[in-house]
């Protein structure tokens, strides 16, 4: 069985899902405990009662682990959210300051290029929306890297990589940029 730390480290489950699972397990264990307390009327043998008791103990142990995992996961999420906010603030002078159509297209192309390939960016409103979405995604990704490094260093490194790739991305998506330059909101 996984430890509370291992359960909390999984980004597939939220603190709320761990808490729900803990509650479900406690309810099942409670049902088994009720059955054990009514042993004389249930007609179960001693070996069956022992199995139910072992199952209840196991379920209570699992419920406790999931409860601790919920607390750990919540604290990890608070830390991740804080780092994401710090990354967003640190990006305001670099990525957040981009206003040209070609720069915004390059941002989307470098972070979530499928949105350009799928034709999701058809006008300037879409461009603004998907640029914001891409920057939010970038801040979240950089926050994961910044757990053991300085936020400003991580953002500056990403900015340098973006600036390296920007001319190539602009050239690659020149047709989309031209179409957007000819549209209105």
């Amino acid at each position: 069985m996984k430890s509370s730390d291992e359960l909390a480290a999984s980004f597939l489950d939220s603190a709320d899902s761990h808490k729900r699972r803990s509650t479900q397990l406690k309810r099942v264990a409670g049902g088994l405990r009720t059955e054990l307390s009514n042993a004389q009327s249930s007609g179960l043998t001693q070996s069956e009662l022992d199995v139910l008791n072992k199952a209840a103990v196991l379920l209570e142990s699992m419920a406790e682990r999931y409860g601790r995992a919920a607390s750990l996961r919540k604290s990890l999420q608070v830390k991740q959210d804080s780092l994401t906010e710090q990354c967003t603030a640190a990006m305001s002078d670099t990525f957040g300051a981009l206003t040209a159509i070609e720069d915004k297209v390059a941002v989307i192309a470098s972070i979530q290029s499928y949105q350009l390939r799928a034709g999701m960016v058809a006008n300037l409103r879409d461009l603004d929306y998907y640029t914001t979405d891409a920057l939010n995604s970038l801040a979240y990704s950089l926050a994961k890297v910044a757990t053991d490094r300085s936020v400003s260093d991580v953002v500056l490194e990403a900015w340098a990589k973006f600036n390296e790739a920007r001319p190539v991305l602009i050239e690659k998506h020149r047709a989309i940029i031209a179409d957007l330059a000819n549209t209105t909101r």
Side-chain angles (χ1 to χ4, degrees), residues 3 21 34 50-51 57 63 83 118 142 165 178:
S3 70
R21 192 163 293 126
T34 300
D50 290 342
V51 169
V57 168
L83 285 172
L142 293 178

Side-chain angles (χ1 to χ4, degrees), residues 34-119:
T34 300
E35 193 62 36
L36 286 169
S37 67
N38 298 329
Q40 289 159 353
S41 64
S42 66
L44 297 173
T45 65
Q46 188 58 44
S47 64
E48 292 170 330
L49 292 174
D50 290 342
V51 169
L52 284 178
N53 189 43
K54 286 179 183 177
V57 168
L58 177 64
L59 289 170
E60 288 166 347
S61 171
M62 289 174 62
E64 184 179 324
R65 287 180 190 198
Y66 275 105
R68 279 183 284 172
S71 299
L72 291 170
R73 184 71 188 107
K74 188 168 187 161
S75 67
L76 288 173
Q77 188 61 47
V78 167
K79 183 179 179 184
Q80 176 71 26
D81 292 346
S82 173
L83 285 172
T84 302
E85 287 176 19
Q86 291 173 31
C87 285
T88 300
M91 289 170 33
S92 65
D93 293 336
T94 54
F95 291 97
L98 298 174
T99 57
I101 291 173
E102 62 187 16
D103 290 336
K104 290 181 177 184
V105 169
V107 165
I108 294 169
S110 66
I111 300 167
Q112 297 173 328
S113 62
Y114 67 90
Q115 293 170 337
L116 295 174
R117 288 191 309 270

Side-chain angles (χ1 to χ4, degrees), residues 3 7 15-17 20 73 79 83 95 116 126 148 172:
S3 70
L7 291 171
D16 289 339
S17 69
R20 274 193 304 277
R73 184 71 188 107
K79 183 179 179 184
L83 285 172
F95 291 97
L116 295 174
D126 292 343
D148 57 346
K172 182 177 180 179

Side-chain angles (χ1 to χ4, degrees), residues 125-182:
R125 188 171 291 136
D126 292 343
L127 180 66
D128 290 342
Y129 175 81
Y130 288 112
T131 300
T132 302
D133 186 48
L135 292 177
N136 289 339
S137 178
L138 178 62
Y140 183 79
S141 297
L142 293 178
K144 287 185 176 186
V145 175
T147 55
D148 57 346
R149 295 176 48 200
S150 162
V151 169
S152 60
D153 289 346
V154 171
V155 170
L156 289 175
E157 183 180 308
W159 178 246
K161 285 182 182 179
F162 171 73
N163 280 326
E164 261 182 51
R166 185 185 336 198
V168 173
L169 293 170
I170 289 172
E171 189 56 40
K172 182 177 180 179
H173 298 286
R174 182 62 60 197
I176 294 171
I177 293 167
D179 288 344
L180 289 170
N182 294 327

